[in-house]
Structures are given as structure tokens and as C-alpha cells.
Amino acid sequence: MPAPSRLKKIRNIGIIAHIDAGKTTVSERILYYTGRSYKIGEVHEGTAVMDWMEQEQERGITITSAVTTCEWKGHQIQLIDTPGHVDFTIEVERSLRVLDGVVAVFCAVGGVEPQSETVWHQADKYGVPKIAFVNKMDRIGADFHQVLEQMKEKLQANPVPVQIPVGSESDFRGVVDLLTMQQIVWKDETLGAEFIHVPIDDALMDQALEAREQLVSQVAEWDDELMEKYLEGAEITIPEIQMVLRRLTLELKVVPVLCGAALRNKGIQPLLDAVVDYLPCPLDVPPVRGIDPVTKAPLERLTSDEEPLAALAFKIFMDQGRKLTYTRIYSGKMRAGDVIYNARQGTREKLSRIFRMHANKRERLEEAGAGAIVALMGLKSASTGDTLCDEKHPILLEAIDVYEPVISVAVEPKTRGDQEKLMDSLQKLAEEDPTFRFYEDQDTGQIVIRGMGELHLEILVTRLQRDYGVGVNAGKPQVVYRETVQQPALGRGVFDRDIGGTKHFAVVEVHVEPRERGKGNRIVHRVRDASIPEEFLAAVEQGVSDALTSGELMGYPVVDVEVSIVGGEHREGASTELAYRVAATMAFRDACQKAQPTLLEPYMAVEVLVPEEFLGEVIGDLNLRKARIEGITAKKAIQVVDATVALSKMFGYSTALRSATQGRATFTMQFARYDVLCEPLGGK
């Protein structure tokens, strides 16, 4: 098949959603109806193909984004199922970075939930076109129109329903296709593999005609030709609507919305049709942009096999001790045996094998071209966010944003044998997961691991034991604090010493002052005279940067501080870069001590969904945790409590919430900001 025709038939899509909206169930049905799986995998039974890790099957949640490929109506769909839990946000971030389009799944009862908003905004950040699927239409409390309203209100989206549900809750029977104006009904005896088109129920006809009218007017609004026909009352054909709807979806102006009940096997085939009809192929997305690694000049690569190779390594996975590098190829081709250039690291490596992945199963390929998402073996030094390219035509693509860990746990090996394996195993886990860090505490000799939440660290400790055979004991979770200053102050650092017979002299004066929360650090040059020669300013800045990594109170990184380099002293023949670097560090420390240093701790945005009868217990418990209640809103029989609370107060909250509400309440938590400690360390 010629390259452009091949590329037109590819859809690189992801499934994103809040935890428990049914992403993996939707993925499993897609695999079944496209013939990729011979039986339906169920999340609640631990048989889901896409949740193939042992821990995913035990917990019934997605932990790592799984990649698979399936066929639908002559199109190749490369699909990534992403986690919904906030602790694994990096998995969503790196998947969205390489995808062309997404299916956002919403629960018909919960609607637009906090993590839905997070992943939606991540997709917006990368300019990824979206279609929406309102799942769980068979659940008690399902409300299709409420979800549409929430999409407008919370996501500032422009939803365009292309279907309406036939019935809801236990009465949900199928959908009305507003383009063909037919009702689609699925046969339960064939597990939804067979469906029929029937005339629309008389009771639904008025609603369907009104929804169809609204669909046509919404689409015509954006297209002059269509608007003209609409105003004249002329017939507007299905291909005309689809063509404009596709263009508007690709331009991020509208979001086509479909509905169904994946667990009941209803609604998946029209969703696949919508993926083909409305989401982009690799040719529809703009050329990938990067820079020349040497000259820093901007470059771009068209989506074509004929262009020089440009690919992004977006995920590293250790499979039975072997390193797999998941890669999106934007342009050019790669073949097994090629020598590939890593532009970020400036290294060459031989590519030994190329695989098309189906969750944890592999299909070997001899070559892969533009638009492909493949796993590579043989690249020992590649890491997340590296650009793989042709050495004669190097390009450096934008890396993937990484989130800072907010929680830490001390781990210790159980035996001497475990001790030898521990650091090596931690290194492998850190290669896979950019949000996981570890270090050895110089004071205590303990090994400290850091991650995005309790669940994240719990899973990493279990993986150490199961996947790597390392016995470890884990301590209680510890919060990762930050330090800052509360008032302006001047500091002075003097370095005057003989080192190895060479004189080193420098004096540096700095001024520190607090910045607004979340604004980060800033280093400003305000040396008005020549008291610090220009060639030493870089060394002074480096000294300040070094000092910012460790505060005066407890050695945590210093944040939200502006440091102005205001002056110093210079001695001809004796002033050196080393002297200025050390003097700058001393000056910063001196200023910090005078500027009322204080600790900051991570505060989390918490949303609790609780049945009305348990609202009092939940509010009381949050008050005990010194939470700030931001608001309480009602969603039918469910109350939604929004609160901000210090992470240190939230350890063990899931257990407390379950026992207080007979297991009927759920909560989500995500990092909001760093703020001043709610009470002194060691306080109760």
C-alpha cells in the first residue's frame, strides 16, 4: 500500500478517564469486537487483556498504559489504555504526548469527575482532538444530559451529541443514531457482537427530531456553505455533516458525544465508527517540531516514510530483565539492525528488534514506518523523552513533562542478598517511571523511595518483591516538604582560602525575598558596578542554584524565592570561579537564616462522593484532619464534597472513609500546591 494511503488508514488513539469510568472495559470490548480477542476480558474478574500485570488484575485498576493494535473497517487502530488514578498521571501525560486523538470516557452517573478534568486538560495541552463516550448508561442515576452540561461547565468544551440513549438505568436498551435517524439495538445472546437497526420508537421520535435539528444547527454554525443550506431548508446529507464534524473535531472546536454501557456490551461498534470517522490519521496532525541539537535552529518533520527518521521514546518497560523502549515514529523508517542516534544523549545504539505490542504480547516486525507505535529492543541507554533520529539529520523533539514526587518511604532489605539486588532493582524501576525517585540518606544510611502517592509507593514495593525478587521492609509514608522564606533579607558570603598553594578569594552579596506560592525560584543579576566581573556571574548563579537545593531548616529544596545578586568584591589574580561559587552559596545561606525560613508541605485537592446519609460522618472526619471544605454540591442522591487538606493528614484515609460509609463513598485526591505547614512537625 502506498505510504499516504497507509497513513490515512491509521488511528493512534488513547482512552482517558477518571478512575472507575470504565476505560479498560471499553478497551476490552473494542478488542473483542475487532477480533483481536476471542473472548471478553473482565476487569472485575481479573481477566482483562489490557490490565495484564498481576497487581492490576488483583486491584481491578490500570497501573501502566498498555498498547495494542486492532483492525476496524480496513483501518488500523493503535490503542493505548491509560490509568485513571491520579498517582499514575505520568502514564497519561506520556501517552497523550504521542497520540493523535483520544476517546474520553465519562461515567453517566459521576459525570465529569476531578481526574476527568486533569486528563482533559492534559489532552488540551498537547492539542489532541477528542470524542466522548458516556458509559454506564445502565447504572442507577445515569443522566446523559447532565454529563453534557458538565462538559460545557467544567471543561469549557462544546459537546455535540451524535447519539441519544434509548431509555436509561435498568431500562437502557440502545441508542438513536442522529445521523441516520435509526435506532440501534444490541443482541444480548451474542454478547453485543450483533446489532440491528430498527425504526425509532414513537415515544422517542420528537426528542430524536429535536436532537437531530440541534446537531445540524451546531455543525452548520461553523460552516458557511452548510449554514446557507440550513437556512434555505435544503436537504443536508450525512457525508456533508460528517465532513464538517470531522474538520471541527480536528480543529478542537467541537467534541462528538456517543453513549452506551460497555459492561452490557452496548455502544462499542458505533464508537469504533466514530474513531474512524472523526479522529485524525497521522497525516491530519501538524508536522512534528523540534530543534537542531547543535545550532538550536527550529526544525520540523512531515509525516512521511521518505523524511529522515524522527521518533520519540515515550515509555521504558523492563520485561523479564530486558529493556523495551516504547516509541512513536513521526517520520522516516527504522529497520531491525539499524544504528540509531539518540539526540538528547548524543549516543549511537544498534536496534536489535522491533515489536508491535498487544498488551504484554509481542509481534516481531522487520521494519516500521511513520505513524507507527512500536516497542524497540537493544537500546540500552534510551530513557523516557529521548529523541531517536538519523545521525546525518539530527533533531531534538520536546521532552515529556515530569511531575515531582510528593511522598516518600524508607525501605530496607530483609537479607544481605536482598541488599545487593536492591539498588539495581530500584534503578530499573526508576528507568521505567520518571515520577519515581530514590536516594540513600547520608545521615541515616536509609534508602528512601519517593513517588506520587501511597498507592504508587505500595505498588512499587510489591513490584520489588514480586518482579525483582527483592525482600524489603517499608516504613511509614513520609511527606516530601519544601522550604521558603517569609521576609526579605540581605546576605554576605566571604571565601578567602589557600587550596593546594593557590589563593582563592571572593565576596558575594545577595538579597532574598519571598515570591507568590507556586511561582518557583528566580535568580536576578543586579550588580550595578564592576564589583563582580562579568565572567564570574555564571559561577555566582551556579552557587546560588546549588544552595537552593538544600534549605537551612531541614535540608529540603527551597522554593518560591527571588534571589538578587547585588554586589561583591574582586581581587585581581586571586578571584576564581570556585571562590565565587562557594561565596554565593554562603551568601544565600546567610540571607536565608535572616529571612525567617519556614517549611512548606503539599496540600491536596480532595473530592469525596458520598451518599447523603453519611455526609455528616465524612465532614466530621475531614474537619478532624484540618481540611478546608471548599464546597458541597448535590448530584441526585450523592453529595460531592470538595476540600483542600494537607497530604500528611490523609494517610490511611481510604480505609477510614470505607469504614465510616459502609464502603459506599469514594474519593479522589490530587496535588494542589505547596503551602505553610498546618501545624509544627511532630504535632498531633
Side-chain angles (χ1 to χ4, degrees):
M1 191 188 288
S5 310
R6 175 182 72 79
L7 288 164
K8 275 183 186 169
K9 300 279 187 183
I10 291 176
R11 298 289 181 275
N12 288 323
I13 65 157
I15 298 193
I16 60 169
H18 182 88
I19 192 166
D20 271 349
K23 291 176 309 306
T24 303
T25 305
V26 169
S27 302
E28 294 300 320
R29 299 311 185 266
I30 287 174
L31 296 185
Y32 180 67
Y33 299 131
T34 57
R36 185 79 235 201
S37 299
Y38 68 91
K39 68 172 191 168
I40 293 178
E42 297 291 9
V43 175
H44 57 274
E45 291 172 4
T47 57
V49 174
M50 299 299 267
D51 283 352
W52 56 270
M53 281 174 72
E54 199 177 334
Q55 293 200 60
E56 292 179 314
Q57 292 172 353
E58 284 174 8
R59 295 167 190 267
I61 62 168
T62 304
I63 293 168
T64 182
S65 46
V67 182
T68 192
T69 306
C70 53
E71 300 274 334
W72 184 254
K73 296 190 173 173
H75 289 72
Q76 184 187 61
I77 297 174
Q78 299 184 116
L79 174 76
I80 298 183
D81 174 32
T82 65
H85 199 287
V86 66
D87 284 17
F88 311 107
T89 299
I90 185 65
E91 291 288 336
V92 185
E93 183 85 23
R94 57 187 175 185
S95 300
L96 287 171
R97 174 71 175 78
V98 297
L99 290 170
D100 299 331
V102 295
V103 176
V105 179
F106 297 103
C107 169
V109 183
V112 178
E113 296 167 282
Q115 190 63 5
S116 317
E117 292 184 62
T118 304
V119 295
W120 189 276
H121 296 318
Q122 282 174 301
D124 280 343
K125 179 169 90 177
Y126 292 116
V128 180
K130 299 168 277 287
I131 59 176
F133 181 70
V134 180
N135 191 25
K136 303 192 178 185
M137 282 303 305
D138 57 328
R139 285 267 303 275
I140 293 171
D143 188 334
F144 181 68
H145 297 287
Q146 179 187 285
V147 179
L148 296 177
E149 286 309 310
Q150 288 185 5
M151 285 177 72
K152 290 176 196 169
E153 183 191 321
K154 293 188 176 181
L155 305 174
Q156 274 76 57
N158 188 5
V160 176
V162 291
Q163 294 177 345
I164 57 169
V166 179
S168 69
E169 302 185 345
S170 58
D171 187 38
F172 177 68
R173 302 186 300 284
V175 301
V176 171
D177 184 330
L178 297 176
L179 288 170
T180 62
M181 286 301 279
Q182 286 186 306
Q183 194 165 307
I184 305 172
V185 180
W186 279 267
K187 294 186 177 179
D188 289 337
E189 59 271 19
T190 61
L191 294 175
E194 287 180 32
F195 54 93
I196 50 171
H197 290 84
V198 297
I200 298 170
D201 292 351
D202 291 343
L204 262 177
M205 186 53 88
D206 287 349
Q207 190 190 337
L209 286 168
E210 190 186 328
R212 160 82 183 203
E213 180 74 9
Q214 209 172 346
L215 164 67
V216 175
S217 68
Q218 267 185 289
V219 173
E221 233 176 82
W222 299 88
D223 188 87
D224 295 343
E225 217 173 291
L226 222 57
M227 181 54 88
E228 211 171 297
K229 287 184 87 169
Y230 176 68
L231 292 173
E232 287 170 4
E235 172 88 20
I236 295 176
T237 64
I238 293 171
E240 282 177 318
I241 297 173
Q242 283 182 322
M243 191 173 74
V244 177
L245 194 50
R246 177 181 176 81
R247 175 172 62 78
L248 297 175
T249 305
L250 299 189
E251 290 172 359
L252 308 181
K253 287 176 178 161
V254 302
V255 180
V257 184
L258 299 93
C259 60
L263 194 63
R264 292 262 203 100
N265 312 310
K266 291 177 169 64
I268 301 301
Q269 295 92 338
L271 176 62
L272 283 163
D273 289 341
V275 165
V276 167
D277 291 341
Y278 307 123
L279 288 182
C281 73
L283 293 172
D284 292 321
V285 295
V288 67
R289 291 188 172 84
I291 57 168
D292 185 299
V294 181
T295 65
K296 308 297 181 209
L299 296 171
E300 60 177 43
R301 294 274 191 273
L302 299 171
T303 303
S304 163
D305 292 348
E306 312 308 315
E307 288 265 304
L309 176 67
L312 187 76
F314 68 94
K315 177 180 165 82
I316 305 296
F317 190 74
M318 293 293 174
D319 188 13
Q320 296 167 353
R322 292 187 167 190
K323 183 172 172 179
L324 284 175
T325 306
Y326 284 76
T327 304
R328 162 72 194 261
I329 305 174
Y330 289 100
S331 65
K333 277 187 172 184
M334 50 173 72
R335 295 172 185 81
D338 281 358
V339 173
I340 289 187
Y341 182 65
N342 184 326
R344 190 180 70 84
Q345 300 190 21
T347 55
R348 289 183 210 86
E349 289 198 88
K350 188 170 183 179
L351 170 60
S352 56
R353 290 177 191 174
I354 305 173
F355 298 107
R356 179 181 289 143
M357 298 302 292
H358 176 49
N360 60 333
K361 297 182 175 65
R362 312 173 194 164
E363 179 189 329
R364 199 159 165 182
L365 304 173
E366 283 310 307
E367 66 171 32
I373 295 176
V374 289
L376 312 177
M377 194 178 271
L379 308 183
K380 291 185 175 63
S381 66
S383 61
T384 300
D386 282 3
T387 303
L388 308 175
C389 60
D390 177 353
E391 193 174 2
K392 290 176 187 161
H393 305 92
I395 185 171
L396 188 59
L397 304 177
E398 185 189 346
I400 294 166
D401 284 350
V402 173
Y403 296 81
E404 281 299 311
V406 294
I407 189 168
S408 65
V409 161
V411 292
E412 57 182 36
K414 286 184 176 174
T415 67
R416 187 172 287 280
D418 292 328
Q419 191 164 3
E420 289 164 12
K421 290 192 288 184
L422 180 58
M423 293 306 270
D424 184 44
S425 303
L426 288 172
Q427 186 58 49
K428 286 176 178 168
L429 285 173
E431 275 190 54
E432 282 185 30
D433 184 350
T435 57
F436 168 62
R437 315 277 166 80
F438 69 96
Y439 66 94
E440 193 167 351
D441 190 306
Q442 297 304 316
D443 299 329
T444 63
Q446 282 183 312
I447 292 166
V448 179
I449 61 173
R450 295 168 59 192
M452 300 301 291
E454 275 185 282
L455 179 65
H456 187 204
L457 291 183
E458 193 185 310
I459 282 165
L460 287 164
V461 168
T462 313
R463 283 198 64 196
L464 274 176
Q465 293 166 338
R466 289 188 189 173
D467 300 359
Y468 294 95
V470 181
V472 289
N473 295 317
K476 284 188 174 172
Q478 298 291 315
V479 174
V480 178
Y481 294 95
R482 294 284 184 269
E483 296 186 21
T484 193
V485 298
Q486 296 182 82
Q487 63 180 43
L490 271 168
R492 179 180 165 89
V494 180
F495 188 79
D496 187 0
R497 208 171 287 175
D498 273 338
I499 302 174
T502 307
K503 191 81 173 156
H504 294 268
F505 173 82
V507 177
V508 174
E509 289 174 359
V510 299
H511 177 266
V512 301
E513 60 183 284
R515 297 188 79 197
E516 203 182 314
R517 288 287 162 268
K519 288 290 184 187
N521 294 326
R522 193 164 77 162
I523 301 173
V524 187
H525 295 283
R526 292 215 170 100
V527 183
R528 298 282 175 253
D529 50 20
S531 56
I532 301 177
E534 206 162 305
E535 66 265 28
F536 293 119
L537 284 174
V540 173
E541 192 171 324
Q542 186 58 53
V544 173
S545 298
D546 292 345
L548 284 164
T549 61
S550 172
E552 286 302 288
L553 288 175
M554 296 179 72
Y556 289 110
V558 180
V559 296
D560 301 336
V561 170
E562 180 167 303
V563 186
S564 304
I565 302 160
V566 293
E569 289 177 28
H570 170 68
R571 192 179 290 165
E572 200 64 52
S575 289
T576 62
E577 283 194 8
L578 171 69
Y580 274 112
R581 191 165 165 176
V582 177
T585 301
M586 293 163 75
F588 176 79
R589 295 231 157 103
D590 179 43
C592 265
Q593 284 169 358
K594 299 172 185 171
Q596 277 192 8
T598 186
L599 280 178
L600 300 176
E601 65 178 326
Y603 276 72
M604 313 302 279
V606 177
E607 184 186 85
V608 187
L609 274 72
V610 56
E612 201 161 347
E613 61 264 37
F614 298 110
L615 183 63
E617 286 93 329
V618 168
I619 297 287
D621 183 54
L622 285 170
N623 285 334
L624 282 175
R625 294 170 191 271
K626 293 187 168 55
R628 180 177 162 192
I629 309 292
E630 308 282 356
I632 301 168
T633 49
K635 276 188 192 173
K636 296 198 173 175
I638 299 286
Q639 297 289 324
V640 182
V641 182
D642 287 299
T644 309
V645 58
L647 174 61
S648 58
K649 298 288 180 191
M650 291 301 285
F651 294 140
Y653 184 62
S654 53
T655 310
L657 184 67
R658 273 200 299 271
S659 58
T661 63
Q662 298 170 12
R664 290 175 59 197
T666 59
F667 84 103
T668 54
M669 178 168 81
Q670 57 196 44
F671 175 74
R673 63 180 187 275
Y674 273 97
D675 217 330
V676 178
L677 232 56
C678 71
E679 60 185 38
L681 282 185
K684 295 291 177 214

